[in-house]
Amino acid sequence: MVFNNKLKFCMATALALSACTGGAAPKSASSDSPPPGKGKGFNHDPFPSTYRAYPGVPTAIVHATVYDGEGGRIDDGTVLIADGKVVGVGGADLAVPAGATVIDGKGKWVTPGIIDVHSHLGDYPSPQVKALSDGNEATAPVTAQVWAEHSVWPQDPGFSRALANGGVTTLQILPGSANLFGGRSVTLKNVYARTVQGMKFPGAPYGLKMACGENPKRVYGAKNREPSTRMGNIAVDRQTWMKAIEYKRKWDKYEEKGGDIPSRDVAMDTLMGVLNGEILVHNHCYRADEMGIVLDMAKEFGYHVTAFHHAVEAYKIADLLKANGSCAVVWADWYGFKMESYDGIPENLAILQRAGACAMIHSDDQNGIQRLNQEVAKALASGRRAGIDISDEQAWTWLAINPARALGVADRTGSLKPGKMGDVVLWNGNPFSVYTRPEKVWVDGAMLYDANNPRLRPVSDFELGQPGEGDVK
Amino acid sequence: MKRLLLTAASLIAAPLSAETIAITGGTVAIGDGSQPIGGGTVVIANGRIVSAGAGVAVPAGARVIDATGKWVSPGIVAGVSTLGLMEGYGMDEVNDTTASKSPFSAAIDVSTAINPTGQRVATERSSGITRAFVIPAAGNTMFGGQGAVIDLGADVDPVTKARAFQYVELGEDGASAGGGSRPAAYVLLKTALAAAANPASADFAHKDALITRQDAEALGPVVRGAMPLLVHVERAADIRAVLALKAQYPAIRLVLVGATEGWMIADQIAAARVPVIAAGLLDLPEKFETMAATQSNVGRLTRAGVTVAVSNADISEGPYESYLTQYAGNLVALTKLPGAQGLDWGQALASITSKPAAAIGMDREIGSLRSGRRADVVIWDGDPLELASAPTAIFIDGIAQPMTSRQTRLRDRYLDPVEKNLPKAYER
């Protein structure tokens, strides 16, 4: 009951605020409240980001091989970082500003920070004890009301490994796949903070995690309730979207014309966000046939699937994905670990790329996230052996601009372009070689990892005072 | 002597090829810890390695394979595997790795169930994996049962050595399977070993008997030292407890599996001459018993003189045997990282070839290109530990293997995903 009272209080506050700023809208017949305006009926950002960039120094990395993350490559290149941003990318002739710290990148590579669009760090942290298992609200097939950020433990040691070994600077934390509607995702900068708000990528749109196939039907089938089959999955999906459309209709009416304030529903808020295009759909879906059904369902209810995750059969429908503008988010070579992954092949990414579909890598794994560059290297090599010619710099889009687009943050990160966040990795060799590791990692222009400086290696609260603390990991 | 006889018997069962093959001009990596040799030659005859290295003569009449510009190595040996026992996770109907409802534990013999035609065998073989240790998981007790060494050849006889080792879970998983706590699991382990050492002292017929006669008999070779005992254990304190078993059973041939915190007591493991099959790259405290996990574990243990093999267990979703070369390459990468301890290239390759073989006492039979070993040979289009490299030819027991799998068939069908005059089901 306490929670309900709190909710009412927040609503009243939000309403009062919007009423103050709503202007002179005409009053409706049934209420004194003026219409608040489209999308302003309630606060859409109640847990706002408090992330702040840490200070950096003007830096010039010179004589390095540069992959810009959008398919461009510069040999003997220069990358300039200042005031938290990338301020210049060019060849050896690009002038280095006076006073900048100069780093010799000869024999090394510079890339944008890696973006993992599918992680459960913080929600399924290390150590994996039940007390910290907060990734699946597996109590009902529709839990669109849960938000992954409310489970993220910012002390997960996994964040540091993803930074130091993987060069990961941005990551999306998703709720798990037990449910058809798993809840909201959150996009984080890979910078430790005391609160999850302190890690939230400022202004990143939310995602909605959905799931096809085996997981929901297994979890709820085992509980002898709907859904227990794939057809049950889609039936519950459609019923839920119908409710969401009704919910949206009420709120649209109220926000445009005023009148009685509709009842809030935290789950429906999220689905309405999807229907309004504010929240991006990230749909766990392995099989080609199931993706085909979901694409039709999206048309039926008027939403867009931003990306299919774990799409091991995406290669079978690369043309269909391209035609619908939906991305495929895949592993390099995982296969056969469950029936719906039985047809996984390592050429998946390359076939998608050749077909012109949007494709990218993901980890879904606290170990895999440390080697996403290596996963892309394997996928690229498999494609080349199959006769698909993709350049190294083009393949880096699978780690950078493509996931940035899928997260709706491509205007701010995901490539080395002037004005973008200073999210940069200096690799000690070719990042598609197994013998290469990140040497330095900057996030928003601040150097937050340096292989040569043990002080620039984060140690989470959990690891402090434990065996192995401060060890090279 | 008994082991020798067993080996001879399995030799007869293996498919033999009389063909003499000389692979010339490639960079030859022996797999015994030595560095690769440029322009080397590998000679195979009667399914065995005759010789490998620089200045090796090509025998008259040999089929010559030019490997100029390529690399030649022993086949990769997967130290912890479920190949042949399960097709995939979440598919219980085709999973023979565990038997929690069986009255038996240590007596379970996985060699009776290896399926050489499963999808994963051909897929992993095409990544250069030629042998695997198939390990049953703990079931109704901490004992998984008797594991097998298998080959990944495209034939009907996958078992290289049946009942090659016994497997037991201790530590956290052992606590769970052994009654609910670590001390409970140790009591059960010691009771089982005592019954194995002296079956006459055990009352198998009693209704509260903790171990069946069949399980005790299966553990007989373990206490006599005729069969290695693979013990999965992670925490340094648990490793110390396992090493202490040797005081009571001096003949026991312990092998540690996992040993994520092994680096903390590397000297003790080395002094006990106990080999380790480690996960390789684990660096997260995913369990409280792996709090001190570090990617430097393998390097530090190796430097201390421990025989360390690298397995793909417990690292990712798969686990895929194909990741072994990647893990070994990463251990080389650590040598360039300040403060870290990795492996040099020769040691890294050995950690996935001869070292796993040595861990279970089979390195005279498999795992390297030294003379007399089974001719498990892979020709690669580049450095086998590099991400872009792949096999161009694979021999198991000297027999050339097919390079296709279900995956290559799917790839060929969908290189162009669009359906044409007939459905995709007609393209093959």
Side-chain angles (χ1 to χ4, degrees):
Chain A
M1 287 306 104
V2 172
F3 294 116
N4 280 343
N5 287 337
K6 205 181 231 176
L7 195 63
K8 280 178 192 158
F9 173 74
C10 291
M11 277 177 57
T13 308
L15 185 64
L17 283 172
S18 57
C20 293
T21 57
K27 289 181 180 180
S28 75
S30 59
S31 165
D32 291 337
S33 307
K38 178 74 179 158
K40 292 186 176 163
F42 57 91
N43 181 6
H44 289 221
D45 189 23
F47 304 92
S49 168
T50 58
Y51 170 82
R52 65 182 178 91
Y54 281 84
V57 296
T59 302
I61 308 166
V62 299
H63 304 310
T65 303
V66 179
Y67 297 157
D68 72 5
E70 295 187 19
R73 172 194 179 117
I74 304 168
D75 295 314
D76 195 10
T78 299
V79 174
L80 305 175
I81 313 168
D83 301 324
K85 308 270 191 207
V86 176
V87 294
V89 180
D93 54 342
L94 185 67
V96 173
T101 298
V102 178
I103 295 169
D104 183 7
K106 192 169 170 51
K108 300 174 184 177
W109 266 249
V110 181
T111 69
I114 286 174
I115 299 174
D116 189 357
V117 63
H118 194 120
S119 172
H120 299 293
L121 289 180
D123 277 10
Y124 281 122
S126 298
Q128 293 172 2
V129 291
K130 282 182 191 160
L132 284 172
S133 175
D134 293 316
N136 265 315
E137 183 58 38
T139 50
V142 179
T143 57
Q145 70 273 20
V146 307
W147 296 23
E149 66 197 70
H150 299 147
S151 277
V152 170
W153 183 40
Q155 298 300 331
D156 185 353
F159 290 118
S160 68
R161 310 301 196 273
L163 179 78
N165 295 333
V168 172
T169 54
T170 296
L171 65 172
Q172 176 172 237
I173 312 302
L174 292 150
S177 50
N179 301 344
L180 299 167
F181 293 81
R184 284 198 200 198
S185 69
V186 63
T187 297
L188 304 178
K189 302 286 287 197
N190 193 12
V191 178
Y192 275 111
R194 293 170 297 165
T195 64
V196 71
Q197 292 92 326
M199 297 179 79
K200 282 177 75 171
F201 193 115
Y206 280 105
L208 168 65
K209 169 70 173 291
M210 294 187 67
C212 291
E214 291 177 18
N215 290 9
K217 87 182 188 104
R218 183 188 69 234
V219 169
Y220 296 98
K223 296 176 184 185
N224 206 22
R225 61 171 291 190
E226 192 182 28
S228 69
T229 60
R230 285 182 159 84
M231 58 189 173
N233 284 349
I234 298 300
V236 177
D237 279 339
R238 295 177 73 216
Q239 283 165 351
T240 307
W241 283 119
M242 288 172 193
K243 279 188 211 163
I245 284 174
E246 183 62 17
Y247 185 76
K248 173 175 151 54
R249 194 185 61 75
K250 287 179 185 165
W251 275 95
D252 283 349
K253 184 180 171 196
Y254 163 69
E255 289 179 344
E256 284 159 20
K257 297 183 178 163
D260 292 335
I261 304 172
S263 300
R264 282 283 297 282
D265 180 315
V266 183
M268 289 298 141
D269 282 353
T270 294
L271 268 52
M272 182 169 71
V274 170
L275 296 171
N276 284 335
E278 288 172 22
I279 295 178
L280 310 177
V281 171
H282 293 274
N283 202 138
H284 158 128
C285 214
Y286 286 76
R287 272 182 11 195
D289 54 324
E290 290 195 274
M291 288 186 261
I293 288 168
V294 169
L295 288 171
D296 272 354
M297 179 168 67
K299 280 181 196 140
E300 180 185 11
F301 295 104
Y303 72 91
H304 179 243
V305 179
T306 296
F308 287 107
H309 292 226
H310 314 338
V312 298
E313 290 191 9
Y315 66 93
K316 297 185 182 179
I317 51 161
D319 52 335
L320 190 62
L321 293 170
K322 186 188 178 198
N324 282 274
S326 294
C327 297
V329 179
V330 305
W331 296 286
D333 54 9
W334 288 18
Y335 76 100
F337 55 96
K338 60 202 294 198
M339 191 67 223
E340 63 193 0
S341 72
Y342 201 64
D343 284 4
I345 64 171
E347 294 82 5
N348 199 5
L349 270 168
I351 290 174
L352 288 159
Q353 180 82 24
R354 186 169 74 174
C358 165
M360 70 198 74
I361 198 82
H362 72 337
S363 78
D364 188 27
D365 187 273
Q366 65 277 13
N367 293 301
I369 195 172
Q370 302 179 44
R371 286 176 283 280
L372 283 171
N373 56 312
Q374 297 183 13
E375 297 307 293
V376 164
K378 289 189 290 182
L380 179 60
S382 296
R384 285 175 180 165
R385 276 194 294 276
I388 303 173
D389 186 27
I390 298 167
S391 69
D392 286 2
E393 53 271 26
Q394 194 67 41
W396 204 270
T397 62
W398 301 338
L399 294 152
I401 197 67
N402 290 3
R405 287 182 182 134
L407 293 177
V409 295
D411 56 330
R412 282 157 282 176
T413 190
S415 63
L416 298 178
K417 295 285 176 181
K420 286 206 177 183
M421 292 166 163
D423 299 342
V424 182
V425 183
L426 174 67
W427 303 84
N428 67 4
N430 182 337
F432 286 145
S433 165
V434 76
Y435 305 122
T436 297
R437 291 291 177 112
E439 183 178 305
K440 294 178 170 62
V441 183
W442 292 262
V443 182
D444 282 299
M447 194 195 291
L448 294 183
Y449 171 70
D450 181 358
N452 299 309
N453 181 358
R455 305 296 302 176
L456 274 182
R457 176 175 203 99
V459 176
S460 80
D461 290 357
F462 175 72
E463 296 194 272
L464 214 54
Q466 302 266 27
E469 176 212 326
D471 199 88
V472 172
K473 297 183 180 184
Chain B
M1 183 54 73
K2 196 172 177 184
R3 256 173 65 225
L4 279 178
L5 286 172
L6 264 177
T7 307
S10 54
L11 218 185
I12 291 159
L16 288 179
S17 165
E19 190 181 21
T20 299
I21 301 169
I23 304 166
T24 62
T27 301
V28 174
I30 304 293
D32 59 357
S34 59
Q35 298 309 306
I37 304 157
T41 296
V42 178
V43 176
I44 301 168
N46 298 314
R48 297 265 165 178
I49 302 291
V50 175
S51 53
V56 168
V58 174
R63 178 160 74 94
V64 176
I65 298 173
D66 182 9
T68 304
K70 296 178 177 169
W71 289 59
V72 188
S73 82
I76 307 304
V77 178
V80 176
S81 178
T82 58
L83 279 174
L85 265 197
M86 70 186 292
E87 190 69 353
Y89 296 93
M91 297 149 72
D92 295 343
E93 299 87 343
V94 282
N95 184 348
D96 288 312
T97 61
T98 189
S100 57
K101 291 175 192 158
S102 168
F104 302 109
S105 56
I108 290 167
D109 171 4
V110 303
S111 70
T112 58
I114 303 296
N115 172 24
T117 57
Q119 178 199 2
R120 290 177 63 210
V121 171
T123 300
E124 297 302 318
R125 178 179 64 227
S126 67
S127 301
I129 319 297
T130 55
R131 305 272 165 179
F133 304 169
V134 181
I135 297 186
N140 76 7
T141 73
M142 330 81 63
F143 292 105
Q146 300 164 97
V149 177
I150 66 163
D151 71 64
L152 277 66
D155 57 61
V156 296
D157 182 18
V159 179
T160 310
K161 185 173 183 178
R163 299 172 299 283
F165 49 83
Q166 176 65 236
Y167 182 77
V168 63
E169 289 281 355
L170 286 178
E172 212 168 278
D173 293 340
S176 170
S181 75
R182 282 177 168 82
Y186 278 114
V187 174
L188 188 50
L189 174 64
K190 292 208 159 190
T191 304
L193 293 178
N198 187 4
S201 71
D203 181 2
F204 298 111
H206 193 278
K207 68 178 174 57
D208 292 329
L210 291 168
I211 183 166
T212 65
R213 178 181 300 280
Q214 290 85 346
D215 291 324
E217 284 173 0
L219 289 169
V222 170
V223 294
R224 292 195 300 275
M227 179 189 283
L229 179 66
L230 271 57
V231 186
H232 176 211
V233 71
E234 303 285 4
R235 183 189 284 172
D238 290 334
I239 296 170
R240 278 193 289 267
V242 172
L243 295 181
L245 280 176
K246 291 195 80 166
Q248 191 175 354
Y249 298 99
I252 209 163
R253 289 165 59 202
L254 289 172
V255 180
L256 301 175
V257 176
T260 297
E261 293 193 344
W263 65 272
M264 300 177 80
I265 53 167
D267 290 344
Q268 289 176 52
I269 299 171
R273 305 183 67 79
V274 170
V276 170
I277 303 176
L281 296 182
L282 276 186
D283 64 355
L284 282 167
E286 291 181 39
K287 296 179 171 185
F288 271 88
E289 65 183 2
T290 61
M291 192 63 71
T294 168
Q295 293 188 10
S296 293
N297 187 40
V298 170
R300 290 174 184 167
L301 285 167
T302 301
R303 177 186 263 186
V306 180
T307 294
V308 188
V310 169
S311 83
N312 51 321
D314 291 336
I315 191 81
S316 210
E317 181 75 35
Y320 304 108
E321 290 74 9
S322 62
Y323 277 57
L324 286 168
T325 49
Q326 183 182 356
Y327 294 158
N330 273 277
L331 293 174
V332 177
L334 286 181
T335 61
K336 291 193 287 181
L337 208 61
Q341 182 75 49
L343 299 179
D344 70 34
W345 195 94
Q347 290 172 326
L349 179 67
S351 76
I352 54 172
T353 53
S354 61
K355 291 294 177 70
I360 60 162
M362 286 187 71
D363 54 329
R364 297 178 68 83
E365 186 69 9
I366 58 171
S368 76
L369 299 182
R370 294 174 67 185
S371 315
R373 273 66 180 178
R374 288 168 178 262
D376 299 347
V377 184
V378 181
I379 304 175
W380 309 77
D381 58 10
D383 173 352
L385 305 188
E386 262 296 8
L387 302 161
S389 301
T392 61
I394 297 166
F395 299 86
I396 294 177
D397 286 318
I399 296 172
Q401 299 294 318
M403 299 299 288
T404 56
S405 67
R406 241 190 116 254
Q407 286 195 332
T408 62
R409 302 295 303 278
L410 281 163
R411 175 198 68 197
D412 295 345
R413 179 176 273 188
Y414 285 99
L415 266 177
D416 177 1
V418 180
E419 287 160 329
K420 301 290 171 8
N421 293 331
L422 281 170
K424 284 285 177 191
Y426 294 82
E427 285 184 31
R428 59 195 154 95

